[in-house]
Structure formats: structure tokens, C-alpha cells
């Protein structure tokens, strides 16, 4: 069923250069290469080479079934929720009719399924442009005498566009770029602090207009984008072995001075409850900057990027310490720094190594009471005495003003000392905090578990029809770790309230040290969930493939943590609900993000701007993508190596969040990254 071969498929933008069905779908007997979004055996094209059309118009799509000796052709359908209709169809041709009136830009997904071999199909995304609309922009504060740029985009309309300021005056030093595309920028170097409101006007080729009021704030030169108190979790490698870190930092709103506390551990040493003093946070451009963290034993530098809310973002270590690491930060809620707020049920997952250079993963569930005592269950892949549904006990100390406490963790009598940092009443970061160099180095998260009696509906969650599993592992190779990364979509569950067992469909993309297995499908895979604690198991089995068993703990809302106990790479995973399927009205959106839970020394990165718009990628990288609205799966080709490859597999978690992995073909390693909308 699955093809582990070195595959390189340049993903040609469906929306701009035609429709391609370039195979690779597990489960087909006529496999022809890597698919763009799940199609195989069916090639789709248009006479114009484009799938961008305008309201009230039609487009022709032609289908060719590879190896169809009888010329039976295909059947056509539109994914539920797609705008427009099928005006006419034959076994080889479809005429799609766009709605007469569209505001902005919407998409329709067409499916062509082979008549003689229904497992073979391809999909095409059609973009319908209507009356132009300027999308609500994410505007970040600027700093006096610091280079600045912020972006605006239009959905709909007909290019080329003319952008202008129709009212108000931009701050001195800033101007509107001369772009004629669907995106423009306000850029320059502001010369004085202040607040200005302007009206931005865009006019398309047909004279249709749209406008948007924009307020820009120019802060003093020393002010940082970030202000207030944040918790962060950072993971990576030091001398090819795990480096783990979590902490809390507070940024002074006026001076940018950074204080706080952190715990960190790698194969060279450890810091437990180390105080941060006299660090500095500085803005460098629209939504990113640099931060120094100074402690008694360390002087470190991080790059950071942030969302426009300034409540969350990503950071990457960028100094000479030898730590190659990245992670996420989130504004802390100090009202949750007590057990009255934290008591209740939680699920967790931590990952790293056992201090003896063996990969270690532990997942589980616990119930925390108002005194800080906790009991629960856990599974891990420890080399000796691995826990399988093992008994867990823990005692948490009261969190301090940094949201930090410590916990003595016991699973089957094995101790795992950690520090914890409270993000809010539903999220906590965990990290090893003892100073021994021969004990585990792990870090991860605890998230609130909802519900008391779990059943098979808990895997996808109430009201959630699909979820996305990010799965990764690491093995040693030539003194450097080799990464195994995967993204899987779980959907089509047969779960029923009160039943412990059910089945779910799984679509899986895997990159293992340069070997790619693209969109392997597993139909009706069995899983079960324990009513008392949400512990479950999922079996992946298909003809010609080795059977795989994964253990998980569900949070009851379509999320949770996964472990593949028998995996040679020690696979660890995070499940997240997918909200908004089908993504037929997915709008142009800027994202920021970066590598999370890095399992290889390179590439580790953050991206300040990534724009997905009408099939084109721009911002920090350029390229093209194809979005399949019915699954939220995106296949993209970018201009430089990113996350280990120039081709990416992406899943939309929602219209405002996505997870991505590289194909790993241009390097031996691949990574997983999370992105959030501006």
C-alpha cells in the first residue's frame, strides 16, 4: 500500500498554471507519483491554464484517466459547501458556473473520480473573484527610527490594482508602496512617535473600489513589541542531543528590559529556577525583533516573531551557546497561578531523552486536587521497565509570581523531576529541572481535559468531524540525529456515544530520513477509548504494510497526545481538532510561526510573514500552493529550503492556524512547524 521512495514532485500551482494529478496516493494499484492533495490516476487541465475566474463566468475542466483502456472517463462532483454549480458535464469534461454575485473571493473544489477505478481521483480548487474587499489588516506598532513595514491585501476584483491613501496622512517617514498586485505595504522608517489614522483605497482594473481605515501607532525607539508577562517552551539540540527549556519572561513596556525565570537542561549542563535580569527586548521590523536573556550563568539571544494581538508568538535561539532550539511563547494569566484554578483533570505529553542518549516519550492523564497532589496513569517508551497504563503520582508545589512551580513525578516507581510554568487555567509547560547530566531531559505540555466519562466520540471531540495528528521521532545517525516526521488527518469516525470502540479513516504523510511516503490512506482503522481517563489505542493496518499501534490520551475535545511505543524513532504526537472544514471561503491570510519540538539540528527557523493568497505563497518565502477545501490539506512548493525541503505538506487546523512539514529531500532531516494568523 505504501511507497517509501525518494520522490520529488514540484507542486505546480493549480490556481495559476493548471491542474495536475501527479499520483502517490496509498491504496491505489496504479500509483503514479506524488499527489497534489490526494488525487491519483486522473489528470486535470484547463484550456486557459488557470483556475481563477470571475463572478458570473464559466470555466472548463478536462479529465484524463491514466490507463483507462475503455475510455470510460470520470464522474464529477462538487465538495459540499463549494460556491457555484456544475453547468454541464461529460465523462471527460466539466463546465463550472460561478455565482452571479460574489463579495471578495471564494473557492469551489471539484472532484473527478475514475468510473472504472473509483479509488483513483483528482481534485481541483477554483477561485471565484467578485467585488473587491480589503481584508481586515493586522497592524503592528512601529518604532521611531526603526525600519517598518505592514501589509494589506484585497480579495476579489480584477488585477492590476491601484492602491492609494484617500483620507488622512501617514506618519512621517512612512509611505504606501507602488504595488499593482493584490497585496501592498506601508513601509519606511518613522521619524517621530504618534498615532495616525488613514483610509486606504484600492481600485481594480474595472474601476471597482474598496477601502479600509488603518490606524498606525509609532512608539518610542526603546519600546518593544512585546510587553507584559509570557510563558515559553523551547526545544532543540545541543551537541546532537536534546536541549529542553521552559520559563517566564516579563518585558517592561517602556524600556524593553527583560526579567523572569527559566529552567533548562542539555547534555552539557542545567539551570534550575535561574533568574533573568537586565535582558533587553527590541523591535527590528513589523512583527519581529530580538531579545536577550541574561542570568548569572548565561547571556543568550533569541529572535522572536509575534501575532498582532501581541499575546503569542515564536522564538528561536540565535547565539553562540551551542543550543539549536526554537519554541512558542504565550501571554500568562496570573489569575491562574493557584491550585483553585488549576485543579481538575489534565492530559500531558513530554519528550526528550533519558539522559543516556535514548529517546524518551511519556504521555498520560492526571487529576490535580486543591492541595497540589495528583494521581493518574501514563505510558512511556523507557528502555527499561517501560510504563504501559502505569500508575502515576505527583506532588506540585504552589506556583510563584512567575507561574513557576516544581513537581515530583512518579510513574511505576520511576522519578521524573520537573518544573512547570502556568500559561493559563487550561495550559501548562513542563521541563526537566534537576541538574544531573545522567537523568532525563524532557519538556512538553499539560492541557485541560474536558468531560468525565469518555467514549469513542472523544477522539474527534464533540462537534469535531476531523483532527490533525503531528507525529515525530528521532534516531541517531553519523553523530547527528535523523528525524522522522508525519502529518495525519483523522476523519470519518464511526464513533457513538457510550461506545468504547469505533473506526476512523486516516490519511498519512511521512518523511523518514529522506524517504517520503505521501498520502498513504488507511480506511476504517479501529480505536478504543477508556471511559475513566480517556486513554486509548489506534491501530493502523493495511495490506502490504506493517501494522502500527499508537497509544493516546484524549482531552475530550478532539485533541490529545500520542505515543507509538514500538517505533524505532520513538514517535511522539500532538492531536489538534480541525475546525472549519470544508475551507471553501479560506481568505488571504498572513501567518507567523516556526519550528516546534525540533528533532534535528537543522533547519530550525521562525517565519515572521507567510501569506497564503489565491494559490501563491509570499512573505518570508515565495512559491505556490494548492488547497483542498474538503480536507484542509495543502501541498506547496517554496523558493528555498524550509523545514528540510522545498516542498511542504500543510494542514489547516482552522482559518487562523496551520501545521506544516518539509519533504526532507534536500536534506536528511525534516521538521514540523506551527503557524498562527497575524
Amino acid at each position: 500500500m505504501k511507497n517509501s521512495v525518494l520522490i520529488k514532485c514540484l507542486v505546480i500551482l493549480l490556481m495559476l498554471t493548471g491542474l495536475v494529478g501527479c499520483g502517490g496516493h496509498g491504496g491505489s494499484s496504479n500509483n503514479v507519483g506524488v499527489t497534489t492533495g490526494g488525487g491519483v490516476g486522473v489528470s486535470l487541465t484547463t484550456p486557459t491554464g488557470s483556475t481563477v475566474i470571475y463572478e458570473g463566468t464559466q470555466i472548463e475542466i478536462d479529465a484524463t484517466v491514466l490507463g483507462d483502456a475503455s475510455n470510460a472517463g470520470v464522474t464529477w462532483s462538487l465538495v459540499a459547501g463549494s460556491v457555484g454549480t456544475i453547468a454541464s458535464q461529460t465523462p471527460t469534461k466539466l463546465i463550472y458556473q460561478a455565482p452571479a454575485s460574489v463579495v471578495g473571493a471564494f473557492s469551489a473544489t471539484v472532484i473527478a473520480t475514475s468510473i472504472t477505478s473509483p479509488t483513483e481521483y483528482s481534485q481541483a480548487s477554483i477561485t471565484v473573484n467578485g467585488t473587491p474587499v480589503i481584508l481586515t489588516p493586522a497592524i503592528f506598532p512601529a518604532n521611531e527610527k526603526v525600519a517598518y513595514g505592514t501589509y494589506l491585501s484585497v480579495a476579489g476584483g480584477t488585477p492590476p490594482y491601484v492602491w492609494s491613501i484617500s483620507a488622512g496622512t501617514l506618519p512621517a517617514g512612512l509611505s504606501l508602496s507602488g504595488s499593482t498586485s493584490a497585496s501592498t505595504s506601508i513601509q519606511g522608517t518613522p521619524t517621530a512617535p504618534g498615532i495616525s489614522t488613514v483610509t486606504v483605497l484600492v481600485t481594480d482594473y474595472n474601476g471597482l473600489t474598496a477601502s479600509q481605515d488603518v490606524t498606525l501607532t509609532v512608539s518610542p525607539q526603546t519600546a518593544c513589541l512585546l510587553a507584559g508577562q509570557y510563558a515559553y517552551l523551547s526545544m532543540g539540540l545541543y551537541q546532537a542531543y536534546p536541549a529542553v527549556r521552559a520559563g517566564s519572561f516579563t518585558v517592561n513596556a517602556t524600556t524593553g528590559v527583560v526579567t523572569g525565570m527559566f529552567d533548562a537542561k542539555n547534555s552539557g549542563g542545567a539551570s534550575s529556577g535561574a533568574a533573568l535580569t537586565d535582558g533587553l527586548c527590541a523591535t527590528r521590523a513589523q512583527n519581529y525583533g530580538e531579545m536577550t536573556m541574561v542570568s548569572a550563568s548565561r547571556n543568550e539571544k533569541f529572535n522572536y516573531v509575534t501575532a498582532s494581538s501581541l499575546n503569542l508568538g515564536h522564538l528561536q535561539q540565535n547565539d553562540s551557546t551551542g543550543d539549536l532550539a526554537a519554541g512558542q511563547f504565550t501571554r500568562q494569566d496570573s489569575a491562574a497561578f493557584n491550585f483553585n484554578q488549576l485543579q481538575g483533570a489534565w492530559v500531558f505529553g513530554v519528550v526528550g531523552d533519558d539522559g543516556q542518549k535514548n529517546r524518551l516519550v511519556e504521555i498520560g492523564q492526571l487529576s490535580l486536587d486543591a492541595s497540589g497532589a495528583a494521581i493518574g496513569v501514563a505510558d512511556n517508551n523507557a528502555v527499561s521497565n517501560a510504563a504501559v497504563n502505569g500508575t502515576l503520582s505527583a506532588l506540585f508545589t504552589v506556583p510563584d509570581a512567575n507561574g513557576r512551580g516544581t513537581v515530583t513525578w512518579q510513574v511505576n516507581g520511576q522519578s521524573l523531576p520537573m518544573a512547570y510554568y502556568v500559561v493559563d487555567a487550561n495550559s501548562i509547560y513542563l521541563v526537566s529541572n534537576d541538574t544531573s547530566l545522567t537523568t532525563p531531559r524532557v519538556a512538553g505540555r499539560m492541557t485541560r481535559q474536558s468531560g468525565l466519562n469518555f467514549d469513542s466520540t472523544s477522539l474527534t471531540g464533540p462537534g469535531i468531524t476531523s483532527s490533525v495528528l503531528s507525529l515525530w521521532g528521532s534516531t541517531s545517525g553519523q553523530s547527528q540525529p535523523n528525524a522522522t516526521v508525519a502529518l495525519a488527518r483523522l476523519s470519518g469516525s464511526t464513533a457513538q456515544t457510550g461506545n468504547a470502540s469505533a473506526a476512523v479513516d486516516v490519511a498519512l504523510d511521512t518523511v523518514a530520513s529522506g524517504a517520503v511516503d505521501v498520502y498513504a490512506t488507511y480506511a476504517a482503522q479501529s480505536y478504543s477509548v477508556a471511559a475513566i481517563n480517556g486513554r486509548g489505542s489506534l491501530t493502523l493496518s493495511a495490506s502490504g504494510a506493517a501494522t502500527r499501534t499508537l497509544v493516546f490520551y484524549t482531552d475530550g475535545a478532539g485533541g490529545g497526545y500520542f505515543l507509538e511505543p514500538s517505533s524505532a524513532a520513538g514517535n511522539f504526537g500532538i492531536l489538534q481538532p480541525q475546525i472549519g472544514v470544508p475551507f471553501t471561503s479560506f481568505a488571504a491570510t498572513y501567518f507567523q510561526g516556526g519550528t516546534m519540538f525540533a528533532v534535528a539540528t537543522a533547519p530550525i527557523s521562525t517565519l515572521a510573514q507567510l501569506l497564503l493568497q489565491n494559490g501563491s505563497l509570499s512573505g518570508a518565502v515565495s512559491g505556490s500552493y494548492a488547497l483542498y477545501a474538503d480536507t484542509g490539506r495543502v501541498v506547496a512548493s517554496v523558493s528555498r529550503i524550509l523545514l528540510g525541503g522545498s516542498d511542504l505538506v500543510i494542514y489547516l487546523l482552522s482559518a487562523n492556524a496551520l501545521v506544516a512539514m518539509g519533504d526532507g529531500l534536500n536534506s536528511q532531516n525534516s521538521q514540523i512547524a506551527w503557524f498562527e494568523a497575524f
Side-chain angles (χ1 to χ4, degrees), residues 3 65 71 90 96 223 237 248 259 299 313 328 333 412 423 465 477 537 555 586 589:
N3 299 319
V65 180
N71 295 319
T90 72
Y96 166 83
L237 296 105
S248 171
T259 56
N299 191 332
Q328 188 177 51
D333 178 8
N412 282 6
V423 178
T465 59
S537 63
D555 65 9
F586 176 70
T589 306

Side-chain angles (χ1 to χ4, degrees), residues 26-72:
S28 169
S29 59
N30 296 318
N31 214 323
V32 292
V34 175
T35 174
T36 55
V40 58
V42 179
S43 174
L44 298 179
T45 59
T46 67
T48 62
S50 172
T51 55
V52 177
I53 63 173
Y54 301 95
E55 58 185 13
T57 65
Q58 295 181 337
I59 186 174
E60 174 186 328
I61 300 177
D62 301 308
T64 302
V65 180
L66 307 181
D68 183 10
S70 63
N71 295 319

Side-chain angles (χ1 to χ4, degrees), residues 582-602:
F583 295 98
T584 51
S585 58
F586 176 70
T589 306
Y590 276 102
F591 291 88
Q592 58 81 32
T595 307
M596 292 279 286
F597 293 92
V599 285
T601 53

Side-chain angles (χ1 to χ4, degrees), residues 143-148 171-175 187-192:
N143 286 75
E144 179 187 7
K145 299 180 182 179
V146 176
Y148 178 78
L174 298 181
S175 62
Q187 57 191 29
T189 302
T191 57

Side-chain angles (χ1 to χ4, degrees), residues 389-405:
N389 199 17
T391 300
L392 178 148
S393 63
L395 183 62
F396 291 73
T397 64
V398 177
D400 61 18
N402 294 292
R404 179 187 183 272

